[in-house]
Amino acid sequence: MIEKKLLFVCLGNICRSPAAEAVMVEKLKKAGMDARIMCDSAGILGYHAGEKADYRMRNHALQRGYKVTSLSRKVKADVDFDHFDMIIGMDEQNIKDLNLLVRSSADLNKIFRMTDFSSQSAYDHIPDPYYGGSDGFELVLDLLEDACDGLIKYLEKRKQ
Ligand code: 4NP
């Protein structure tokens, strides 16, 4: 039975949030939690709606064993804040944009920042890799792997 539904959010939903979704799905499978936790991703912008994730993100993720399969879609405030339990932004601007969409304090309480779950403190956001090179995509995956481990621990603790 699905106990928690997570929505990962970035600007375009073609780099960071689809990668976060793919990394989390894989880590949930390894932790035996995939039947309990459901993941999806969306973007603040609908500019890339219907598109596969950026090929660079897909390739870098695949090299680590993560299949990024989701198609881009825009956040739907009226539906997503009802459907999901946690809405997890990748950077400060994503959080600000999500905060503008809330309808209630209950909605507001669903918003988290991906790096809230990080074990490291060097980055307080997942940097946008879109206009950069390979290093940026690798950094995104490093930070997402770490934050997903923390998110799994958080979900396990909340369950007890
Ligand atoms: P993302 O990266 O937010 O990690 O998906 C971006 C993708 C596309 C654009 C910006 C950021 N864009 O401006 O098209």
Side-chain angles (χ1 to χ4, degrees):
M1 196 191 82
I2 299 293
E3 291 167 12
K4 280 257 184 296
K5 302 189 195 86
L6 316 181
L7 182 67
F8 297 99
V9 173
C10 62
L11 182 61
N13 190 215
I14 56 168
C15 294
R16 294 164 292 171
S17 61
E21 179 187 347
V23 170
M24 191 62 181
V25 164
E26 200 53 40
K27 286 186 177 285
L28 286 168
K29 274 187 203 158
K30 289 207 172 110
M33 294 166 71
D34 53 313
R36 295 201 277 121
I37 313 287
M38 175 264 189
C39 300
D40 192 6
S41 65
I44 297 294
L45 299 177
Y47 186 67
H48 294 281
E51 292 177 17
K52 283 184 185 174
D54 187 288
Y55 72 97
R56 298 165 295 174
M57 193 75 257
R58 283 187 280 127
N59 287 344
H60 281 274
L62 198 56
Q63 281 166 27
R64 299 189 189 204
Y66 307 114
K67 278 191 191 147
V68 181
T69 55
S70 67
L71 299 180
S72 178
R73 73 165 178 91
K74 190 177 178 181
V75 173
K76 293 170 279 184
D78 49 338
V79 180
D80 290 331
F81 277 99
D82 287 333
H83 187 69
F84 290 93
D85 301 292
M86 295 177 75
I87 301 188
I88 305 169
M90 298 294 134
D91 64 27
E92 179 66 20
Q93 191 58 50
N94 302 155
I95 305 289
K96 280 186 182 156
D97 290 335
L98 286 169
N99 283 342
L100 292 175
L101 299 176
V102 302
R103 304 155 303 176
S104 64
S105 58
D107 285 358
L108 193 63
N109 289 337
K110 293 185 175 186
I111 298 175
F112 295 82
R113 181 193 290 246
M114 193 68 194
T115 48
D116 287 347
F117 306 101
S118 298
S119 68
Q120 58 78 36
S121 56
Y123 288 88
D124 66 356
H125 66 290
I126 310 292
D128 186 346
Y130 190 66
Y131 294 105
S134 294
D135 288 0
F137 288 89
E138 288 298 314
L139 175 62
V140 165
L141 289 166
D142 288 345
L143 295 173
L144 290 178
E145 286 181 329
D146 177 61
C148 285
D149 286 339
L151 181 52
I152 284 184
K153 281 187 197 138
Y154 172 88
L155 292 167
E156 279 172 337
K157 249 192 212 156
R158 295 282 297 225
K159 167 98 181 123
Q160 287 157 11

